Amino acid sequence: MMKVHHRMPALLLTDKEVQEWLDSENVPLEKAVKNIRATEEIQMHPVSDIVNNSRNKSPDCTKPIDLTKPKSTPSSNLMMKWLSKGKKEQSNEPPSKRIKTEPQ
């Protein structure tokens, strides 16, 4: 977990553990710390940037995403369409051998 954040999360599973963790006046630190689970119990994976908006509560917030796939947006789709047109018009001849024709 250190790779993501410099603080260690407190993994508490029961209501009793949460109460003991928060009740620092009545519960000794040693007892509260014993309730913490190891970070090996945490699974990490990249998620969509929709998690950056606190109004989003959908399951998509925790759904794993593939970082190797380019993000598809209307502007990226338009750019890819424009770039693909240029590839079709390119010649295999070197620039010095190409004949430039002027429209008449």
Side-chain angles (χ1 to χ4, degrees):
M1 199 64 186
M2 289 289 284
K3 294 184 279 185
V4 178
H5 203 278
H6 66 279
R7 293 181 285 180
M8 171 149 168
L11 301 177
L12 304 166
L13 302 179
T14 66
D15 288 340
K16 181 181 179 220
E17 290 175 351
V18 172
Q19 287 298 10
E20 288 177 354
W21 180 257
L22 296 174
D23 190 9
S24 58
E25 289 182 21
N26 299 317
V27 178
L29 178 62
E30 296 79 25
K31 183 176 181 183
V33 170
K34 286 182 183 178
N35 290 332
I36 297 174
R37 304 298 185 285
T39 56
E40 289 81 31
E41 294 184 30
I42 297 176
Q43 294 180 358
M44 295 187 298
H45 57 263
V47 294
S48 167
D49 59 1
I50 65 168
V51 300
N52 296 338
N53 186 331
S54 61
R55 291 177 294 205
N56 294 329
K57 306 290 185 207
S58 77
D60 290 337
C61 291
T62 58
K63 182 179 166 186
I65 62 167
D66 185 359
L67 294 177
T68 60
K69 292 183 180 177
K71 186 177 177 182
S72 180
T73 64
S75 61
S76 68
N77 292 339
L78 179 66
M79 181 61 79
M80 290 307 293
K81 205 180 274 188
W82 181 75
L83 290 172
S84 67
K85 284 182 185 178
K87 288 180 183 175
K88 291 176 189 171
E89 296 171 4
Q90 288 180 351
S91 171
N92 291 335
E93 294 179 355
S96 61
K97 300 233 177 186
R98 290 185 202 156
I99 299 172
K100 188 173 184 180
T101 58
E102 299 280 330
Q104 296 182 16

